[in-house]
Amino acid sequence: MEPPRSHGGSAPFRGVASSLQKEFNAMLFHVEMDVRIPHDIAAEKVDALKQAERVHAMELQRAGAWRHLWRVAGRYANISIFDVSGAQELHDMLSSLPLFPFMEIKVTPLCRHPSSIHDDDR
């Protein structure tokens, strides 16, 4: 599906609702996060960071930006799908996570596969 085009102007989204613009501008990213908290950090601080991380992650999920979140069995790691406007927004979100300083992160941009039968995977 092509994004709507304006008639008589070069701006493709002139007059189109911002939610529709986000739909066509959104990008999906596969993100792998491995958390490595140093052993010399006080347990109380680690607990507070984990609680803050949980709250922030849930907020991003409710907002629709953190679309999927899976734990990697046997590791303190997750695999996630983010639905954002681009790399800068993703970077801003990831760097806002309380555990970010202790993460090794791998990011892979995704695009829709032509053989996919799902309408919502862009």
Side-chain angles (χ1 to χ4, degrees):
M1 178 177 188
E2 287 292 316
R5 302 275 178 206
S6 65
H7 300 288
S10 61
F13 295 111
R14 186 172 290 135
V16 178
S18 63
S19 63
L20 187 56
Q21 288 180 22
K22 178 173 172 40
E23 178 182 340
F24 289 111
N25 290 331
M27 293 182 65
L28 297 178
F29 290 90
H30 171 272
V31 179
E32 296 178 50
M33 293 179 244
D34 282 285
V35 183
R36 295 190 174 94
I37 300 172
H39 297 291
D40 60 349
I41 296 180
E44 300 81 27
K45 181 172 180 166
V46 172
D47 290 343
L49 284 169
K50 288 179 180 180
Q51 180 57 30
E53 180 86 10
R54 177 181 167 91
V55 169
H56 193 53
M58 288 179 166
E59 290 170 353
L60 292 173
Q61 289 174 76
R62 286 186 189 101
W66 198 328
R67 216 162 139 179
H68 299 283
L69 172 59
W70 294 277
R71 177 181 295 175
V72 177
R75 293 180 16 216
Y76 191 9
N78 74 69
I79 294 175
S80 299
I81 301 295
F82 283 83
D83 189 349
V84 294
S85 63
Q88 185 63 55
E89 183 181 9
L90 177 65
H91 174 78
D92 293 344
M93 281 183 190
L94 294 175
S95 62
S96 75
L97 295 171
L99 290 173
F100 177 77
F102 309 108
M103 291 182 182
E104 179 180 315
I105 299 174
K106 295 179 189 172
V107 175
T108 305
L110 302 172
C111 58
R112 189 172 196 285
H113 194 285
S115 298
S116 175
I117 63 169
H118 300 286
D119 292 331
D120 68 343
D121 59 357
R122 290 194 251 302

